[in-house]
Amino acid sequence: MSCALLLLLTSLALAMGTGTAVEIQRPRGVPQSKRQFYEENKPFTCLDGSSTIPFDRVNDDYCDCRDGSDEPGTAACPNGSFHCTNAGFRPAFIPSSRINDGICDCCDTTDEYNSGATCQNTCREMGRKERESLQIMAEITKEGFLLKQQLIHEAKRAQEDKQGKLTELQGSKKGLEGKVEALRTVKETAEDPEKEAKERHLKSWEEQKELIRMEKDKTRMAEAFLELDDDSDGYVSVAELQSHLELDPDSDGSLTETETQVRCLLFLPLKSREDVPPTVQTPEKREDDELSMPPYDTETQSLIDGAYIHLQSLICGPEFIWICRNLEKEIGFDFGPSAEFAYLYSQCYELSTSEYIYRLCPFNRVSQKPKFGGSETNLGLWGQWAGPEENLYSVMKYDHGQGCWQGPNRSTTVKLTCGKETVVTSTSEPSRCEYLMEFTTPAVCQEPASLDEVLHGHTEL
Amino acid sequence: MCLYRVLVLSVFLSITQAVDRSNFKTCDQSAFCSRQRAMKPGQSSYTALLETLELSDSHLTVQLLNNNNKVLLLLELYRLQGNMTRVKINELKPIKARYEVPDVLITDPPTELMSVVAQDEHRVVLSLGGEDWRLILSAQPFRLDIMEGPQVLLSLNSRGLLAFEQLRIRKDTAPTSGEEEEAEEEVDQPGMWEETFKTHADTKPNGPSSISLDFSLPGVEHVYGIPEHADGLRLKNTDGGDPYRLYNLDVFQYELFNPMALYGAVPVLLSHNTHRTMGLFWLNAAETWVDVSSGQGSSEVPQTDVRWISESGIIDVFIMLGPRPNDVFTQYSSLTGTQAFPPLSSLAYHQCRWNYNDQEDVSAVDQGFDEHDIPYDFIWLDIEHTDGKRYFTWDNNKFPQPKDMLQGLLDKRRKMVTIVDPHIKVDSSYKIHTEIRSRGYYIKNKDGGDYEGWCWPGNAGYPDFTNPEMRKWWASMFAYDQYEGSMENLYTWNDMNEPSVFNGPEVTMHKDALHGPWEHRDIHNLYGFYVQMATAEGQIQRSGGLERPFVLTRAFFAGSQRYGAVWTGDNAAEWGHLKMSIPMCLSLGLVGISFCGADVGGFFKTPSAELLVRWYQAGAYQPFFRAHAHLDTPRREPWLFGPDNTALIREAVRQRYTLLPYWYLQFYHAQRTGQPVMRPLWVEYPEDIATFSIDNEFLIGRDLLVHPVTDERSSGVTAYLPGNGEVWYDVHTFQRHDGAQNLSIPVTMSSIPVFQRGGSIICRKNRVRRSSSCMENDPYTLYVALDSQGKAEGEIYIDDGHTFKHKTDKQFIHRRLSFTANSLSSSVARIWSSYPNCRRNGSGLLKEYETQDHKLC
């Protein structure tokens, strides 16, 4: 009923000529592969089989087939597509709405046969350019892929090393744990005699050198403390302890904060226990001390030594755990299918723009620092690999950066592309506080197909 | 139906308040408003001195005496052509001139002869033409009544609220001469000579100057108009609350259902009942408040009382007597002009964001539309494209080659808009600033120096757009050799032209700033109007007068329709704001501004994919169709929400493109007749009471009815199909429905309920291409929807889409299409001289139309 009343009168053609500018063999816009469906002078059946029409209604600028297949060379069907041969370059399909729209889409100009647009045939030039850039890309890929193999090799070796070290450490840790436990018992039993011995010793010392102790002893204690208290604020800080390399347990030349914290736990009681001479900390000073206390008797000394060793062991416990944890963390990272990204760990890469210096520390964080003063902004902490399913390792995501006013926390997406060098090539902020970084690395280079293979199939003549 | 209404209500109530109300005045905080509003209805203190009455061919004058202070006013009455009456009241002898709004009326309105029908010592009866149109001027107390036969259509000062604060000398500075008048001693009230809001002082050197007048509309329950407010179509009673405020303001995160002032002001109110539509045009550009009170008048007849209060200027009111809605539109447009006929492409889809970052970004977005096969015509650049918010410049790092970028767009037959705001960075190395300063074109502060305020660039000056010399100079800045990097496909967006002054009172300019002899107080609501006027003029001039301009403005006034498009400002990504876009644009259409749109997706905050899709679907059927987003929101180009949503948005945009011929025809009509493009249902069905309060659906022209889905997770809408005996066709399914019914329509995410009126013929272009320009030579498809008699009529209008040649050379085709007895014919609607595209086929045009052949060329 509704059909009877609502009529559609289509193709009230205004100013549309149907002149044909280019003579071609098969119906316009049909690819070679579908040539056989368009037989001249035979009824044409829509490719979806929905209907059959006389052949003169193919490409007559009126849409008959639901699938658009009767108008491969005109813009009549909304869902049609047009095939350009593009000899010298790559053939392509374009939506039929781009036929005769005044814009040159096909490099062979075949899409603009009746629009008045003046298109140049650029296929040969484009083909040449594409071959050139493919060649360059292929070379980069080739070299990059070689570098990647090296990276994989190194990563494998490093991984094995670390795994070995970890296993070793875990073994000795187990042993030490027993030892620490044993020492704890020893300590507990040793502490009482030590204390007694000390008290005994001090008592006789006080008896013999009462006056000297009265005048000097206190000063000496204070000096020992002052040795550590660099800024004389009455407290021994972490930084102050870190400057005393003699306290460095792993002898790597520096005291990490964790190490220091371990130390701190041990030192802080010393500060309050003025009655214990600073034997551990400044043994060399004692030798020059003219007013030194006579040495402890052997028994006392050995008891103290015993306690010292056991203290050392206590230190070792947490250190081991710390080292092990770091190793575990590093081994546990997803550095790619062949650990090819492992070399980026603990490295940082910078890019300087007109306003900022951007810094990418892979698997750690991304940051931005204004060139002309101002504090650094955290653009995100390592989150996860975030590429598409088939290419997971092409994108890194860093999130939970510094918050934005009225907005989300800053985050950065890092797009990885194949390159010989490891460089940050560009940064942008497509959305407020959502950064995009482009990063080249050999680690994403794919095994190169031969150049012939790359170019093959891109030309249909 | 009931349930549905309840649900809608609950959604509205759940909207949280976002605006910081304390930044904006209430009537109580505005000294003149509170002073005037304190005056209650009663006997007017004014007497018309009939012995002073003078009647000339064109008008009548009579003096009004304020019995309290003996100040004399002069009333001027004009009978205007087209069934309008103009009432002007000014002081008889003001101590200095009071501001009268220039440039808004397109001509001095032509008058018609007035004649005295009867006169005695109490009243004068004047004929307004026709059989029984009368105007009665009563002397004591003064009032005016406009009558049709025995029926009072409208009364002025019937509630005695005429108040006219005469200009005066401040008492503490006035010389104490012996000239004591008989007048009662008038006591200065607080706020008359200075006023402070928050930390902002208003010095008011001219003292009090406000005016007020009441109008009573017997038999009227429905009044509309006085935009811009984020409120329903039908105006609400303001008793017990604040009046509707008209004062152009940059309101941060505005609130819905609220009489607070927004970016623009059109002081035009329409009244409507089943018999008659009328309009009141209060021509005053100062801060204005409008009280609306509906209720029972005498003898149980419903009545609406309206009271206008303005801070300065004179009373100059146009009473448009209709009687049909169309008549009011014709009357109003004869005063202030019609909607500018926009370039066809500007009716297509616009892609905007604060901000597209750089040339690469623009190019990638442009590419994205092609990759996803979504058409668009304009891409927009917000303030970040400039060199440090210096308008007419480009950021050299981000946009080093603007012409290359524009050429790239031109190659795809697309266009760009850049923002040009009226605040000018104070920077001695910025040419625009130094020129304006050296020519003395800046607005001055109260002490005579250049007024400076804070806006996007930091410290900024504000050019005095009320100065015609300044506007001429501004227009010249759009010349291709002045605006470097501009090309013919670059158009303009005027934002922040309320004007917005971040550190000014109510985020705008100090009222004691000076525009030559006038205070900003007098001209405030006109500023944005002038900015757009000068910009549009610049675009016309750069093309040698050939090309139609396209300029979008945020601030506007009566008459702004002549210069381009407006949008509803900084809305938010909330369902309530999507709903509100309909009444806001409907209200603007009623007062002449047809080219209206809301930011698709919502400016502030982040829309859900569902809200974004629904907004595209609604926006595709509103006049100005532009997506926009705040700088701090995540990207939301149409393809970022998964393939399903991309397809839904693509389909909505494609529907817009297929209907562009129909939209273009509607704007052609709007330009010629002043009829709104987007219309409330009551405009076409003025006798159907059920349509009077509908503002969740609307008509485009006469023939398309749209009821967008504006509720979250909606499974259906109820659309009212108007018209007894009318039939409506679902444009997607062609299913037929009878008029005068509430139709329940089940919806899915792809539904956009749209109906074509039976009896209409709508022209579409079904070959949707990358941009509207690409479709210019494509064939039309006629959708003929028959009425119950099997007939249909329609029109087709074709021209080049972008020049003035349709006007200057009459290069267009305008034909009437008619379908009857199973045959389609066409006849000329307007004579044209030639149209190049037709000539190309070599057929004689005149011959074609003489044969009444349905082939157009």
Side-chain angles (χ1 to χ4, degrees):
Chain A
M1 183 205 47
S2 60
C3 285
L5 287 180
L6 193 116
L7 303 176
L8 298 186
L9 299 176
T10 52
S11 286
L12 190 74
L14 284 162
M16 287 292 294
T18 49
T20 309
V22 187
E23 278 300 319
I24 48 165
Q25 293 303 311
R26 55 193 186 232
R28 194 192 298 278
V30 175
Q32 187 62 47
S33 58
K34 288 181 180 164
R35 174 72 186 84
Q36 72 271 21
F37 302 120
Y38 296 82
E39 273 192 78
E40 199 132 359
N41 303 322
K42 283 190 181 170
F44 172 74
T45 300
C46 306
L47 297 188
D48 64 357
S50 57
S51 66
T52 299
I53 55 171
F55 192 78
D56 61 8
R57 283 166 67 175
V58 170
N59 277 345
D60 68 342
D61 206 23
Y62 187 94
C63 193
D64 296 287
C65 296
R66 276 193 314 218
D67 66 351
S69 58
D70 64 312
E71 296 295 318
T74 78
C77 294
N79 51 348
S81 66
F82 176 86
H83 183 263
C84 354
T85 309
N86 291 345
F89 187 53
R90 198 181 323 148
F93 285 96
I94 60 167
S96 62
S97 66
R98 293 178 194 176
I99 299 169
N100 289 328
D101 66 350
I103 301 163
C104 311
D105 291 289
C106 299
C107 64
D108 65 4
T109 76
T110 51
D111 60 316
E112 295 301 312
Y113 58 87
N114 195 28
S115 68
T118 46
C119 301
Q120 305 289 322
N121 188 324
T122 54
C123 292
R124 242 160 252 290
E125 178 61 14
M126 283 175 74
R128 192 181 59 76
K129 276 195 183 148
E130 191 188 51
R131 275 188 293 278
E132 269 174 25
S133 71
L134 281 172
Q135 199 143 12
I136 292 166
M137 204 50 231
E139 271 157 33
I140 291 172
T141 309
K142 197 172 147 192
E143 282 181 54
F145 190 70
L146 281 178
L147 288 170
K148 180 180 175 179
Q149 298 313 307
Q150 219 168 309
L151 290 175
I152 291 172
H153 181 71
E154 279 165 21
K156 203 176 164 196
R157 220 174 44 203
Q159 190 80 350
E160 281 164 4
D161 281 358
K162 279 172 202 143
Q163 192 62 55
K165 198 173 171 192
L166 181 66
T167 318
E168 188 187 317
L169 283 171
Q170 276 164 340
S172 50
K173 183 180 147 203
K174 219 167 243 173
L176 273 167
E177 271 163 5
K179 206 165 156 195
V180 166
E181 196 45 49
L183 275 166
R184 192 184 312 274
T185 325
V186 173
K187 175 186 173 251
E188 275 156 16
T189 47
E191 258 168 9
D192 286 344
E194 182 205 343
K195 202 175 169 189
E196 277 170 39
K198 228 186 297 180
E199 274 165 11
R200 265 202 316 278
H201 183 84
L202 283 171
K203 202 178 174 187
S204 76
W205 166 244
E206 277 162 16
E207 281 166 7
Q208 288 166 29
K209 290 280 184 180
E210 176 108 20
L211 283 169
I212 299 165
R213 203 200 71 83
M214 291 282 278
E215 287 165 19
K216 304 272 187 174
D217 189 44
K218 214 170 179 180
T219 321
R220 293 290 152 225
M221 299 302 114
E223 275 172 7
F225 178 75
L226 286 174
E227 180 76 19
L228 290 170
D229 184 16
D230 292 344
D231 60 2
S232 318
D233 64 353
Y235 295 95
V236 180
S237 70
V238 169
E240 282 161 1
L241 286 171
Q242 280 175 328
S243 68
H244 288 260
L245 289 178
E246 71 274 14
L247 307 177
D248 177 18
D250 57 3
S251 308
D252 67 353
S254 72
L255 269 171
T256 67
E257 206 161 303
T258 315
E259 284 167 351
T260 313
Q261 276 158 4
V262 171
R263 290 282 174 193
C264 282
L265 291 172
L266 299 167
F267 272 115
L268 288 174
L270 285 180
K271 191 185 163 193
S272 55
R273 283 170 61 188
E274 283 180 16
D275 54 344
V276 179
T279 49
V280 180
Q281 291 74 34
T282 53
E284 68 283 0
K285 284 255 170 176
R286 291 193 72 240
E287 287 161 21
D288 305 327
D289 194 340
E290 25 178 354
L291 288 169
S292 66
M293 182 177 70
Y296 295 125
D297 59 45
T298 346
E299 192 194 354
T300 317
Q301 188 64 58
S302 76
L303 285 169
I304 293 168
D305 285 352
Y308 174 57
I309 292 161
H310 116 80
L311 283 171
Q312 280 282 33
S313 309
L314 272 183
I315 296 161
C316 288
E319 268 167 26
F320 266 75
I321 293 160
W322 178 71
I323 293 166
C324 292
R325 273 199 194 140
N326 271 309
L327 276 171
E328 276 168 359
K329 189 178 156 199
E330 197 177 335
I331 291 165
F333 258 112
D334 180 0
F335 288 129
S338 313
E340 61 268 43
F341 298 99
Y343 81 105
L344 300 171
Y345 187 77
S346 74
Q347 301 295 311
C348 290
Y349 303 88
E350 286 186 350
L351 178 74
S352 188
T353 66
S354 56
E355 281 175 85
Y356 300 102
I357 296 168
Y358 289 88
R359 195 172 154 90
L360 165 65
C361 304
F363 306 104
N364 184 6
R365 68 200 295 266
V366 183
S367 61
Q368 175 200 55
K369 198 173 159 63
K371 257 182 163 169
F372 311 103
S375 57
E376 190 181 81
T377 306
N378 174 1
L379 303 186
L381 302 173
W382 167 247
Q384 70 279 324
W385 290 103
E389 212 172 305
E390 70 284 358
N391 199 5
L392 180 67
Y393 297 96
S394 60
V395 177
M396 288 172 155
K397 184 82 185 170
Y398 294 79
D399 40 29
H400 299 105
Q402 209 162 308
C404 274
W405 180 78
Q406 274 211 334
N409 285 340
R410 286 173 175 79
S411 64
T412 304
T413 301
V414 182
K415 281 192 176 167
L416 282 66
T417 49
C418 167
K420 289 185 276 187
E421 321 251 299
T422 305
V423 217
V424 178
T425 55
S426 79
T427 64
S428 58
E429 190 182 354
S431 256
R432 186 73 146 189
C433 302
E434 289 178 14
Y435 296 82
L436 180 67
M437 211 171 237
E438 305 213 19
F439 185 58
T440 64
T441 160
V444 288
C445 295
Q446 302 293 318
E447 183 155 20
S450 74
L451 188 56
D452 291 345
E453 233 175 284
V454 171
L455 296 174
H456 183 76
H458 286 316
T459 48
E460 185 188 312
L461 296 168
Chain B
M1 188 59 196
C2 260
L3 179 66
Y4 172 70
R5 288 215 170 123
V6 168
L7 285 174
V8 169
L9 188 68
S10 70
V11 170
F12 291 163
L13 289 174
S14 67
I15 290 161
T16 52
Q17 295 189 359
V19 69
D20 183 357
R21 288 191 184 206
S22 71
N23 281 335
F24 303 101
K25 289 183 185 178
T26 60
C27 177
D28 284 346
Q29 291 167 315
S30 177
F32 78 91
C33 185
S34 114
R35 225 163 39 230
Q36 291 278 12
R37 226 186 177 201
M39 183 175 159
K40 297 297 173 202
Q43 173 141 333
S44 176
S45 58
Y46 284 92
T47 303
L49 306 176
L50 294 186
E51 63 276 18
T52 65
L53 188 143
E54 284 177 38
L55 184 65
S56 74
D57 281 357
S58 65
H59 70 297
L60 172 153
T61 59
V62 67
Q63 293 177 15
L64 305 179
L65 173 70
N66 182 337
N67 293 302
N68 294 335
N69 61 11
K70 307 302 177 199
V71 173
L72 285 168
L73 304 180
L74 182 69
L75 167 79
E76 294 174 75
L77 273 176
Y78 299 80
R79 182 183 155 209
L80 302 182
Q81 282 179 18
N83 207 10
M84 287 182 281
T85 301
R86 182 181 193 177
V87 179
K88 269 175 99 165
I89 304 175
N90 197 351
E91 291 179 56
L92 181 66
K93 289 176 185 162
I95 57 169
K96 63 186 277 191
R98 298 180 67 118
Y99 189 70
E100 298 188 36
V101 175
D103 300 318
V104 167
L105 299 179
I106 50 173
T107 60
D108 203 9
T111 55
E112 286 191 288
L113 211 62
M114 259 184 168
S115 56
V116 174
V117 176
Q119 185 172 4
D120 61 20
E121 68 270 33
H122 301 299
R123 62 183 59 82
V124 178
V125 182
L126 297 151
S127 166
L128 289 176
E131 291 284 302
D132 50 1
W133 294 79
R134 299 280 183 272
L135 190 150
I136 301 172
L137 165 65
S138 305
Q140 175 63 40
F142 160 69
R143 68 181 268 173
L144 290 174
D145 294 278
I146 293 177
M147 316 280 294
E148 188 188 30
Q151 293 271 303
V152 178
L153 301 180
L154 174 138
S155 307
L156 274 81
N157 201 33
S158 55
R159 291 193 298 149
L161 294 169
L162 168 62
F164 210 107
E165 293 180 329
Q166 79 281 7
L167 297 178
R168 62 199 80 181
I169 311 252
R170 192 168 183 168
K171 291 215 181 71
D172 48 12
T173 60
T176 48
S177 69
E179 285 182 61
E180 284 296 310
E181 303 231 350
E182 290 172 46
E184 285 174 31
E185 188 69 11
E186 280 185 292
V187 185
D188 276 355
Q189 291 172 36
M192 276 187 164
W193 294 93
E194 65 212 307
E195 183 176 350
T196 301
F197 179 66
K198 299 186 108 174
T199 58
H200 304 284
D202 176 1
T203 58
K204 298 194 173 180
N206 296 323
S209 60
S210 71
I211 53 174
S212 157
L213 184 60
D214 65 278
F215 300 82
S216 291
L217 298 155
V220 168
E221 283 180 285
H222 292 81
V223 287
Y224 309 91
I226 52 169
E228 181 175 19
H229 300 100
D231 207 348
L233 175 65
R234 181 188 175 186
L235 297 176
K236 294 190 183 81
N237 223 314
T238 57
D239 298 340
D242 251 19
Y244 284 99
R245 188 183 190 202
L246 294 171
Y247 190 59
N248 294 356
L249 291 174
D250 178 3
V251 180
F252 181 78
Q253 297 192 345
Y254 61 78
E255 207 177 292
L256 305 182
F257 301 103
N258 193 306
M260 282 172 77
L262 287 180
Y263 313 94
V266 184
V268 174
L269 180 138
L270 270 60
S271 72
H272 177 70
N273 61 25
T274 51
H275 311 299
R276 179 177 298 276
T277 309
M278 293 193 291
L280 288 174
F281 172 28
W282 176 265
L283 180 52
N284 187 299
E287 180 184 344
T288 296
W289 298 79
V290 186
D291 261 319
V292 174
S293 174
S294 293
Q296 301 293 313
S298 56
S299 69
E300 311 230 324
V301 177
Q303 173 166 319
T304 297
D305 297 315
V306 181
R307 176 193 196 176
W308 300 75
I309 302 169
S310 289
E311 188 177 11
S312 68
I314 63 162
I315 292 173
D316 189 2
V317 61
F318 297 80
I319 300 157
M320 301 171 280
L321 293 171
R324 306 273 301 173
N326 293 355
D327 299 321
V328 175
F329 302 137
T330 305
Q331 286 153 4
Y332 179 63
S333 58
S334 75
L335 300 172
T336 66
T338 58
Q339 179 67 52
F341 192 27
L344 171 59
S345 55
S346 66
L347 298 175
Y349 174 63
H350 299 259
Q351 180 66 37
C352 187
R353 170 176 182 82
W354 176 21
N355 214 98
Y356 286 118
N357 297 328
D358 48 33
Q359 279 179 231
E360 291 70 35
D361 199 358
V362 168
S363 160
V365 171
D366 177 75
Q367 196 58 42
F369 276 91
D370 287 346
E371 276 164 22
H372 297 91
D373 201 17
I374 300 171
Y376 88 93
D377 271 59
F378 282 80
I379 186 164
W380 291 54
L381 295 180
D382 208 324
I383 52 173
E384 311 299 329
H385 84 278
T386 60
D387 174 14
K389 320 297 188 292
R390 293 170 184 86
Y391 306 105
F392 300 101
T393 71
W394 303 82
D395 181 314
N396 267 329
N397 292 315
K398 297 168 181 166
F399 297 92
Q401 304 293 342
K403 283 195 176 184
D404 289 357
M405 172 176 67
L406 287 165
Q407 186 61 49
L409 292 169
L410 193 63
D411 290 346
K412 288 202 185 160
R413 310 182 74 173
R414 287 174 175 151
K415 301 170 172 68
M416 174 171 266
V417 168
T418 48
I419 197 164
V420 177
D421 288 352
H423 49 256
I424 303 299
K425 187 178 177 71
V426 173
D427 168 8
S428 56
S429 62
Y430 175 31
K431 189 190 79 177
I432 298 283
H433 163 72
T434 54
E435 284 264 310
I436 296 173
R437 171 161 285 182
S438 67
R439 290 164 185 260
Y441 285 161
Y442 276 127
I443 296 169
K444 303 290 186 279
N445 60 36
K446 64 178 167 54
D447 303 316
D450 286 349
Y451 180 93
E452 286 180 5
W454 284 85
C455 209
W456 298 124
N459 203 26
Y462 293 75
D464 185 0
F465 282 88
T466 66
N467 175 355
E469 288 298 311
M470 155 61 208
R471 293 201 299 274
K472 203 171 154 194
W473 175 85
W474 178 266
S476 74
M477 289 299 102
F478 289 89
Y480 297 121
D481 59 350
Q482 290 292 332
Y483 187 169
E484 281 173 39
S486 69
M487 282 179 32
E488 65 271 23
N489 63 338
L490 182 67
Y491 295 83
T492 311
W493 170 18
N494 292 148
D495 195 1
M496 314 298 278
N497 51 345
E498 294 76 23
S500 178
V501 181
F502 292 160
N503 59 341
E506 305 191 83
V507 201
T508 191
M509 188 166 282
H510 292 75
K511 285 176 171 171
D512 52 13
L514 294 167
H515 302 252
W518 303 111
E519 282 191 289
H520 185 70
R521 181 185 334 277
D522 302 313
I523 69 96
H524 176 85
N525 285 347
L526 267 183
Y527 188 76
F529 162 92
Y530 277 129
V531 173
Q532 193 190 19
M533 175 196 281
T535 304
E537 184 56 32
Q539 275 187 21
I540 294 170
Q541 277 176 22
R542 70 174 187 180
S543 72
L546 185 68
E547 297 286 330
R548 285 177 240 165
F550 171 68
V551 181
L552 178 74
T553 181
R554 192 169 72 182
F556 50 82
F557 189 68
S560 285
Q561 68 270 16
R562 307 198 297 265
Y563 307 112
V566 306
W567 93 107
T568 61
D570 299 345
N571 62 359
E574 292 168 2
W575 291 91
H577 277 265
L578 166 57
K579 288 186 173 73
M580 188 54 78
S581 69
I582 300 171
M584 286 181 82
C585 280
L586 285 175
S587 295
L588 278 163
L590 288 176
V591 299
I593 299 178
S594 268
F595 205 179
C596 168
D599 285 345
V600 169
F603 177 67
F604 290 112
K605 306 187 181 174
T606 300
S608 64
E610 184 189 356
L611 176 58
L612 187 67
V613 167
R614 290 301 191 197
W615 213 316
Y616 267 98
Q617 293 174 339
Y621 287 89
Q622 291 176 7
F624 176 57
F625 182 26
R626 181 187 74 153
H628 188 32
H630 189 277
L631 183 71
D632 288 332
T633 60
R635 295 292 279 243
R636 52 169 102 135
E637 284 71 44
W639 50 87
L640 296 175
F641 301 86
D644 291 351
N645 291 312
T646 305
L648 291 168
I649 294 172
R650 177 192 298 121
E651 174 55 24
V653 179
R654 288 176 66 95
Q655 287 184 26
R656 172 60 167 231
Y657 275 71
T658 62
L659 277 169
L660 283 174
Y662 182 72
W663 280 104
Y664 196 52
L665 175 68
Q666 300 314 312
F667 273 88
Y668 175 71
H669 281 312
Q671 176 221 207
R672 287 175 41 77
T673 66
Q675 308 297 308
V677 169
M678 179 175 167
R679 301 176 189 166
L681 271 56
W682 63 260
V683 167
E684 292 299 331
Y685 301 90
E687 285 158 28
D688 185 349
I689 296 171
T691 64
F692 291 5
S693 297
I694 291 179
D695 62 5
N696 56 1
E697 67 181 57
F698 55 90
L699 292 161
I700 303 165
R702 284 177 66 201
D703 301 335
L704 279 184
L705 177 104
V706 187
H707 188 114
V709 180
T710 57
D711 279 309
E712 194 171 11
R713 290 187 288 276
S714 177
S715 58
V717 298
T718 302
Y720 180 70
L721 302 182
N724 234 327
E726 202 86 275
V727 290
W728 294 91
Y729 297 88
D730 183 314
V731 299
H732 309 295
T733 62
F734 303 146
Q735 199 186 338
R736 182 188 150 147
H737 304 280
D738 287 329
Q741 66 154 325
N742 280 306
L743 181 69
S744 291
I745 307 157
V747 299
T748 64
M749 271 315 289
S750 63
S751 307
I752 315 177
V754 180
F755 301 88
Q756 181 175 342
R757 190 177 56 81
S760 67
I761 301 175
I762 288 183
C763 301
R764 298 187 182 218
K765 282 192 174 186
N766 282 342
R767 299 183 183 182
V768 176
R769 304 198 189 239
R770 265 179 288 212
S771 70
S772 68
S773 304
C774 294
M775 296 159 64
E776 65 179 354
N777 292 323
D778 281 340
Y780 291 80
T781 301
L782 307 188
Y783 285 69
V784 181
L786 301 185
D787 63 14
S788 43
Q789 276 83 51
K791 293 179 182 171
E793 294 206 329
E795 286 170 72
I796 188 161
Y797 175 81
I798 305 169
D799 65 13
D800 64 22
H802 58 97
T803 71
F804 287 111
K805 285 181 186 165
H806 66 96
K807 217 173 207 168
T808 54
D809 303 349
K810 289 197 186 294
Q811 288 188 0
F812 64 88
I813 295 166
H814 184 195
R815 293 188 74 88
R816 208 170 295 289
L817 308 168
S818 172
F819 187 94
T820 179
N822 272 331
S823 121
L824 180 77
S825 61
S826 83
S827 60
V828 70
R830 281 181 75 220
I831 300 285
W832 65 92
S833 65
S834 64
Y835 182 60
N837 271 5
C838 291
R839 245 184 287 136
R840 210 161 59 191
N841 272 8
S843 53
L845 291 170
L846 287 172
K847 195 174 149 213
E848 287 289 339
Y849 96 77
E850 278 167 356
T851 61
Q852 303 276 306
D853 189 342
H854 73 265
K855 270 165 68 187
L856 294 177
C857 290

